[in-house]
Amino acid sequence: MMETIASLRQEIDQVHKEMHALLLRRRDLTMAIWKIKQQEGQPFFNAEREAQIVKDFVALGVNQQADPEFEALLKGVMNSVLREYETYLKSKFK
């Protein structure tokens, strides 16, 4: 049976729901780390860790067909996620 635009959009909507749940979970984990770092007097931002996060995130698709443009998109998405979480957490834990 041929997929329709409507059925594909329903799948996309489901992906969005899953992404939302994962971003909430990431927020909770990041907030827990932030609290520990505050208690220990550690800085929140760790450039080496963030670079490794981006590298590992892009590498998740390494077995798939090489697509440099998509890899660049993934880097941009993860960098954006990291910056947005940092801004959010700084607003929550001044």
Side-chain angles (χ1 to χ4, degrees):
M1 180 166 96
M2 189 172 125
E3 292 183 293
T4 65
I5 290 174
S7 68
L8 292 170
R9 286 182 175 158
Q10 284 179 336
E11 285 188 57
I12 288 172
D13 291 344
Q14 182 59 40
V15 169
H16 291 162
K17 289 176 186 176
E18 293 169 20
M19 287 172 58
H20 187 269
L22 290 171
L23 289 169
L24 286 173
R25 181 161 186 251
R26 190 184 195 290
R27 178 202 61 189
D28 294 344
L29 294 167
T30 305
M31 289 177 82
I33 290 170
W34 178 260
K35 288 177 184 177
I36 292 169
K37 285 186 168 189
Q38 278 188 319
Q39 292 169 356
E40 295 179 355
Q42 295 182 38
F44 178 73
F45 181 76
N46 179 332
E48 290 176 15
R49 170 70 179 141
E50 292 204 4
Q52 189 64 48
I53 289 170
V54 173
K55 181 180 175 185
D56 291 347
F57 185 72
V58 173
L60 290 172
V62 81
N63 294 330
Q64 298 172 5
Q65 185 176 9
D67 186 344
E69 292 85 8
F70 190 69
E71 288 180 10
L73 178 140
L74 291 175
K75 285 180 186 177
V77 165
M78 185 50 72
N79 279 316
S80 178
V81 165
L82 293 170
R83 293 294 68 77
E84 292 299 326
Y85 273 92
E86 183 178 4
T87 300
Y88 171 76
L89 290 170
K90 283 180 178 177
S91 74
K92 298 296 267 183
F93 296 103
K94 289 182 178 184

